Amino acid sequence: MDFVMKQALGGATKDMGKMLGGEEEKDPDAQKKEEERQEALRQQEEERKAKHARMEAEREKVRQQIRDKYGLKKKEEREAEEKAAMEQPCEGSLTRPKKAIPAGCGDEEEEEEESILDTVLKYLPGPLQDMFKK
């Protein structure tokens, strides 16, 4: 019966004592082993990042060759050019910024308003002209 129990539990009999409240065995080199493991993980991560950086540099080199071959531009360059084109004032454009005022407009608003009023008064009949002049 004892043999059957050992076979059924496998090597778990050592762990059974721990689960039932026994004390764990302390490894004197556990701290050192953990530090070595952490260092190995950091080193692997650095190697992985370096590898990915090399691969990305190679990909960018191939992309640039394709751009040069077909005369394409980078996405950032294309967006920058489009933005610059939008900022340039277009003569007679319907999409110019609202704050942009053509030269000569708005400098002498009062005089222009008076001249417009005088022009309108010329086309009114006589009695209406007298009424607006007062």
Side-chain angles (χ1 to χ4, degrees), residues 97-109:
K98 291 182 180 180
K99 293 183 179 180
I101 299 174
C105 292
D107 296 337
E108 303 172 13
E109 292 180 21

Side-chain angles (χ1 to χ4, degrees), residues 107-133:
D107 296 337
E108 303 172 13
E109 292 180 21
E110 294 177 11
E111 293 179 14
E112 289 181 15
E113 288 178 12
E114 291 175 4
S115 65
I116 292 171
L117 186 59
D118 292 336
T119 306
V120 171
L121 286 176
K122 287 181 195 176
Y123 294 106
L124 291 176
L128 286 177
Q129 285 180 3
D130 295 337
M131 189 171 81
F132 279 108
K133 286 182 181 177

Side-chain angles (χ1 to χ4, degrees), residues 59-94:
R59 287 185 190 122
E60 186 58 35
K61 183 179 173 184
V62 171
R63 288 183 196 119
Q64 189 59 44
Q65 290 173 346
I66 292 170
R67 284 188 210 107
D68 293 341
K69 182 177 178 181
Y70 295 105
L72 302 174
K73 296 181 182 178
K74 281 187 174 181
K75 193 174 191 178
E76 296 89 24
E77 291 175 3
R78 188 174 52 228
E79 289 175 355
E81 287 180 2
E82 289 174 0
K83 191 173 186 180
M86 292 293 286
E87 291 176 358
Q88 286 181 347
C90 297
E91 192 65 35
S93 173
L94 296 175

Side-chain angles (χ1 to χ4, degrees), residues 32-44:
K32 185 177 178 182
K33 287 179 182 178
E34 181 63 24
E35 289 174 6
E36 289 175 1
R37 188 180 72 79
Q38 290 294 331
E39 182 60 33
L41 287 174
R42 274 192 294 270
Q43 186 176 3
Q44 287 175 348

